[in-house]
């Protein structure tokens, strides 16, 4: 069966520091991968999605970036965090077979101080 | 582009009462529709999905949803709410484009359950 792992679960970082959140999927190949952000009391905002290694689509311009160095690995990064980057970050995957469901990781809580 | 609205930000019901959470979508073709639930500090869990066929779909935890094309709605229902159903509920629409499948979520409805 497929599983998705996301880490770290919680992170407290000072403004201006770098960020790296990692997500891996097991039990499938060539998944579509997604990064969402959920600000406090708000819905989900799609940040990036990827249909293959090195193929990243950015939905919202910001100081975050994403990379997909391996088929089942998706990394969210920032060189310098802003206060506004605080939030709950969710990685998700879906099968690249047309209509299918989105399966989420447990999330990473980022607090920027 | 597709969009999703959930008119109710917060709903409070008593345990044992029935529940209906509203969802309206905008999409030019037949949508793929989903309901997810999120407990505090957790990821989202799929409750049910509609792809095609029977417009009344059954999900986990006793939830069901009905797709009404004429109203562009996909409302979630449960006949008798349990205290453990208190959570945030998200409606989503999926569409396939050249880059794969794109999912758009509504703003969510927070459900509180009174004992």
């Amino acid at each position: 069966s497929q599983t998705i792992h996301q880490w770290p679960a919680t992170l407290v970082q000072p403004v201006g520091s770098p960020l790296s959140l990692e997500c891996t999927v097991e039990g499938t190949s060539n998944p579509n991968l997604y990064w969402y952000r959920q600000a406090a009391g708000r819905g989900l905002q799609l940040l990036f999605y990827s249909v293959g290694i090195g193929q990243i689509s950015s939905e919202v311009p910001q100081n975050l970036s994403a990379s997909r160095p391996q088929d089942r690995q998706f990394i969210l990064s920032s060189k310098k965090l802003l206060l506004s980057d605080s939030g709950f970050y969710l990685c998700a995957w879906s099968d690249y077979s047309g209509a299918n469901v989105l399966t989420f990781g447990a999330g990473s809580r980022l607090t920027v101080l | 582009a597709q969009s999703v609205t959930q008119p109710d930000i917060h709903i409070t019901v008593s345990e044992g009462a029935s529940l209906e959470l509203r969802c309206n979508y905008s999409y030019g073709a037949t949508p793929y529709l989903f309901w997810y639930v999120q407990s505090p500090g957790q990821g989202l869990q799929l409750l049910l999905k509609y792809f095609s066929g029977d417009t009344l779909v059954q999900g986990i935890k006793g939830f069901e949803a009905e797709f009404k094309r004429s109203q562009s709605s996909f409302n979630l229902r449960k006949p008798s709410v349990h205290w453990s159903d208190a959570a945030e509920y998200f409606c989503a629409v999926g569409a396939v484009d050249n880059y794969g499948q794109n999912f758009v979520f509504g703003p969510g409805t927070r459900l509180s359950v009174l004992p």
Side-chain angles (χ1 to χ4, degrees), chain B residues 16-102:
Chain B
S18 63
L19 172 70
E20 182 169 29
L21 302 182
R22 295 182 290 166
C23 171
N24 293 97
Y25 68 89
S26 174
Y27 184 58
T30 299
Y32 305 121
L33 296 164
F34 309 85
W35 274 100
Y36 286 83
V37 61
Q38 184 184 32
S39 297
Q42 303 296 315
L44 278 71
Q45 180 184 22
L46 179 70
L47 281 177
L48 46 79
K49 61 183 186 256
Y50 171 78
F51 288 167
S52 65
D54 193 347
T55 56
L56 183 64
V57 294
Q58 302 297 320
I60 62 172
K61 304 184 180 186
F63 285 92
E64 67 178 25
E66 186 172 13
F67 170 56
K68 293 185 177 180
R69 183 188 303 275
S70 62
Q71 299 177 21
S72 297
S73 69
F74 189 56
N75 294 347
L76 181 71
R77 300 193 294 251
K78 186 170 185 178
S80 178
V81 170
H82 188 262
W83 63 267
S84 60
D85 294 324
E88 189 94 21
Y89 291 80
F90 294 94
C91 181
V93 58
V96 178
D97 57 26
N98 292 334
Y99 303 100
Q101 188 162 16
N102 188 12

Side-chain angles (χ1 to χ4, degrees), chain A residues 66-87:
Chain A
S67 62
R68 185 170 176 172
Q70 300 181 47
D71 181 44
R72 290 168 292 175
Q73 184 185 28
F74 205 25
I75 298 171
L76 182 69
S77 303
S78 174
K79 293 182 179 179
K80 289 184 178 182
L81 284 168
L82 306 173
L83 286 174
S84 58
D85 291 324
S86 293

Side-chain angles (χ1 to χ4, degrees), chain A:
Chain A
S1 64
Q2 302 90 357
T3 57
I4 179 169
H5 303 280
Q6 186 179 342
W7 71 92
T10 59
L11 195 60
V12 180
Q13 293 286 98
V15 169
S17 64
L19 171 72
S20 180
L21 301 179
E22 189 164 343
C23 173
T24 59
V25 181
E26 297 177 357
T28 187
S29 59
N30 195 30
N32 290 342
L33 296 171
Y34 306 79
W35 277 111
Y36 285 86
R37 177 169 61 197
Q38 188 175 27
R42 301 181 65 181
L44 282 79
Q45 178 187 36
L46 178 63
L47 300 176
F48 303 94
Y49 70 99
S50 170
V51 299
I53 296 175
Q55 301 178 62
I56 310 293
S57 295
S58 174
E59 292 295 304
V60 181
Q62 58 215 327
N63 70 320
L64 299 173
S65 62
S67 62
R68 185 170 176 172
Q70 300 181 47
D71 181 44
R72 290 168 292 175
Q73 184 185 28
F74 205 25
I75 298 171
L76 182 69
S77 303
S78 174
K79 293 182 179 179
K80 289 184 178 182
L81 284 168
L82 306 173
L83 286 174
S84 58
D85 291 324
S86 293
F88 193 53
Y89 290 82
L90 290 156
C91 181
W93 75 275
S94 71
D95 272 333
Y96 186 58
S97 59
N100 215 311
V101 301
L102 198 60
T103 301
F104 285 86
S108 298
R109 171 76 59 192
L110 171 65
T111 303
V112 183
L113 302 176

